[in-house]
Amino acid sequence: MNNKQQELFKLLNNANFIICASMALIAPFFPPFAFEQGLSKTLVGIIVALHPLGGIFGSIKIGEVLNDKNRQILLAGSMIVQAICLFLFILIYLIQTYWFITIISLVSRVVNGIAYSIFVTSFYSYIPFLFPEEHEQKIALAEAASALGYMLGPMIGSILYSIGGFTFPFITFIIFSILCGYYIHNYEFEITKKECEIEMIEINLHSQHSEPQMEQPLQYQEVLQQYDVYINALMCVMVTTSITINFPLMAQYMQDHYQIQESTVGFYMGLQPMSYTIATILITKIQNPNKPFYMVGFQLLNGLALFFYGPDPAFTGIERNLLLCCISLAVTGIAQSFPLIYSLPQLNESLIELYPNSVKQCNNFASAIFSASISLGEFSGPFIGGFLSNFCDLDRIASITGLLALVMCISYVPFLQKHMKK
């Protein structure tokens, strides 16, 4: 394996961790500050959860314009844009007026979401070029870095806040972001041997046709109408929704039903992301997986485990039990990792089968659709959870989500049958 490729992957994956951690950085200390300035709980919740909307827009747009010439600029530029967005939160602290805080924080979160999606799409679509023979394992490592970033972001933010106050976490991550942007900008992105192998594969695919064909531009409207594409995108949305459905509710649920104190509830909430992170590392050891079977099998496990979030007495006949709840959190974390990580390689394969003359565009579109699907799930989870909390408790919301996950498995059966015929 080329050491330069490994070094480039490590650099981009470190930046991936930083950009994900910075998205979760504000969770422990921004809401109390915002409440002191008169912002409502609803508005603060929207601010914290708004970045996925920017992510959806950024992912869709970047898939159309991303190419080998602008990839390095987009990767470096997205880190600099993130640094600017973090600086806006320092201005919020310096200019403490209601409308300034509201408008600037909303703008910062949306633009930061766009920068995040541009970075992730550009990074993930580059992995098949760098590691065509083991890109699934590398994507799993990238997902592990993302999960660690989101999991450790609030903890890092809390530690930095206790050291230097409100502005110190932002100053620290501004420096990290600028350094990553600088090193990415100055790194030598070159056409490697592995990329040449991809180009040769593309040429061979072209040769299967009676006449050589030029690569045709892909359109989202056409691509997303293909069952093989949208069913794998929906699988990703469903998993991400089930991961984030408990974000606004779990802490309060633990306190209400199990008398878990605020100082320790974070350890219980960390079971799910911790299990997810461990599973992503294990996935890197699986060679040549049968992806659709892993995806539907673990989605099925995810759906069943969600019934035991409380557990939900109505669906399981079991009274609420803290041990079962913790086991459910750990199992769902493991189950959610497989369909989420394998959805990107499966999207890529499906697109290449549909459009064999547009291999590079397929990589870009697959990464863009994957990133947009994650952003949609990150937004829909807290939104649906918050809405349903007006009518029922978290254990019932988790059970409803579990039912949707099982329906998703049934909808995936035709794709599974098609895959078996191959």
Side-chain angles (χ1 to χ4, degrees):
M1 183 62 64
N2 192 320
N3 288 332
K4 202 163 189 178
Q5 293 167 251
Q6 294 285 10
E7 290 174 3
L8 178 56
F9 177 80
K10 290 178 181 178
L11 171 61
L12 295 177
N13 211 22
N14 287 334
N16 180 35
F17 171 83
I18 290 170
I19 202 168
C20 290
S22 74
M23 300 295 282
L25 194 68
I26 67 172
F29 60 88
F30 175 75
F33 167 80
F35 295 149
E36 291 176 0
Q37 305 306 315
L39 277 69
S40 66
K41 290 183 178 180
T42 301
L43 182 56
V44 172
I46 291 172
I47 291 170
V48 173
L50 195 61
H51 71 272
L53 287 182
I56 294 170
F57 174 79
S59 298
I60 292 174
K61 197 64 182 175
I62 190 65
E64 296 177 341
V65 301
L66 179 63
N67 56 54
D68 291 337
K69 294 181 180 179
N70 62 21
R71 187 187 309 275
Q72 186 171 6
I73 296 173
L74 291 170
L75 286 165
S78 59
M79 298 303 297
I80 302 302
V81 170
Q82 177 184 252
I84 295 172
C85 291
L86 294 175
F87 177 73
L88 291 178
F89 275 94
I90 296 178
L91 291 182
I92 288 172
Y93 183 75
L94 298 176
I95 307 174
Q96 296 183 14
T97 61
Y98 178 89
W99 287 111
F100 186 81
I101 293 172
T102 301
I103 294 172
I104 296 300
S105 57
L106 287 170
V107 170
S108 175
R109 293 295 282 178
V110 171
V111 175
N112 205 351
I114 295 173
Y116 161 78
S117 66
I118 290 173
F119 180 89
V120 171
T121 302
S122 302
F123 174 36
Y124 278 41
S125 64
Y126 199 43
I127 292 175
F129 291 132
L130 291 174
F131 308 99
E133 297 174 0
E134 52 176 348
H135 64 277
E136 291 162 6
Q137 288 76 24
K138 294 299 182 183
I139 288 171
L141 285 174
E143 272 296 304
S146 298
L148 277 173
Y150 280 117
M151 182 173 66
L152 298 179
M155 186 186 304
I156 295 171
S158 182
I159 293 171
L160 294 175
Y161 177 81
S162 64
I163 293 172
F166 186 91
T167 60
F168 189 61
F170 299 112
I171 293 172
T172 303
F173 273 78
I174 286 171
I175 294 171
F176 286 156
S177 299
I178 292 174
L179 286 174
C180 284
Y182 172 80
Y183 284 117
I184 292 171
H185 177 72
N186 289 281
Y187 200 90
E188 186 179 352
F189 278 55
E190 60 181 8
I191 301 295
T192 64
K193 180 181 178 182
K194 294 295 182 183
E195 288 181 303
C196 293
E197 290 174 2
I198 290 287
E199 292 176 347
M200 290 304 298
I201 293 172
E202 188 173 1
I203 293 170
N204 290 335
L205 287 167
H206 290 174
S207 67
Q208 295 176 6
H209 296 82
S210 55
E211 296 180 1
Q213 299 185 17
M214 297 296 292
E215 182 167 324
Q216 299 297 319
L218 301 182
Q219 301 294 329
Y220 279 110
Q221 185 174 1
E222 175 190 354
V223 168
L224 292 174
Q225 290 177 358
Q226 303 292 337
Y227 170 78
D228 290 6
V229 176
Y230 70 72
I231 195 63
N232 283 288
L234 287 175
M235 177 72 80
C236 183
V237 173
M238 184 67 250
V239 175
T240 313
T241 300
S242 69
I243 291 173
T244 59
I245 195 83
N246 65 0
F247 277 9
L249 308 170
M250 178 57 78
Q252 192 63 47
Y253 180 84
M254 287 284 190
Q255 292 175 36
D256 291 344
H257 295 287
Y258 299 117
Q259 291 73 52
I260 305 298
Q261 300 301 314
E262 292 180 0
S263 58
T264 56
V265 71
F267 293 101
Y268 293 90
M269 294 178 65
L271 283 171
Q272 187 177 23
M274 181 182 68
S275 300
Y276 178 92
T277 304
I278 293 172
T280 57
I281 296 172
L282 294 176
I283 290 172
T284 64
K285 308 300 181 182
I286 301 175
Q287 299 293 330
N288 302 317
N290 197 330
K291 291 184 287 294
F293 287 94
Y294 274 89
M295 291 170 69
V296 75
F298 280 92
Q299 180 72 288
L300 180 64
L301 177 61
N302 178 44
L304 294 174
L306 285 168
F307 291 109
F308 295 90
Y309 248 39
D312 183 354
F315 280 85
T316 63
I318 303 173
E319 293 301 318
R320 293 186 178 99
N321 182 289
L322 180 58
L323 177 60
L324 285 177
C325 182
C326 291
I327 293 173
S328 173
L329 288 170
V331 171
T332 52
I334 294 171
Q336 290 157 354
S337 63
F338 283 84
L340 187 60
I341 289 172
Y342 285 148
S343 59
L344 175 54
Q346 189 57 60
L347 271 169
N348 199 30
E349 288 181 16
S350 297
L351 280 169
I352 291 175
E353 289 176 6
L354 291 166
Y355 307 101
N357 295 299
S358 305
V359 174
K360 288 187 176 181
Q361 283 191 82
C362 288
N363 289 327
N364 294 340
F365 268 60
S367 184
I369 294 170
F370 175 73
S371 299
S373 300
I374 288 179
S375 296
L376 181 58
E378 287 177 343
F379 176 77
S380 63
F383 178 81
I384 294 171
F387 174 75
L388 290 178
S389 66
N390 295 312
F391 310 99
C392 54
D393 217 335
L394 175 60
D395 46 27
R396 182 60 46 81
I397 295 170
S399 295
I400 294 171
T401 310
L403 285 173
L404 293 175
L406 297 180
V407 171
M408 183 71 244
C409 291
I410 296 172
S411 303
Y412 201 76
V413 169
F415 181 82
L416 204 60
Q417 292 174 329
K418 182 179 179 180
H419 180 79
M420 289 173 64
K421 291 179 181 178
K422 294 177 185 179

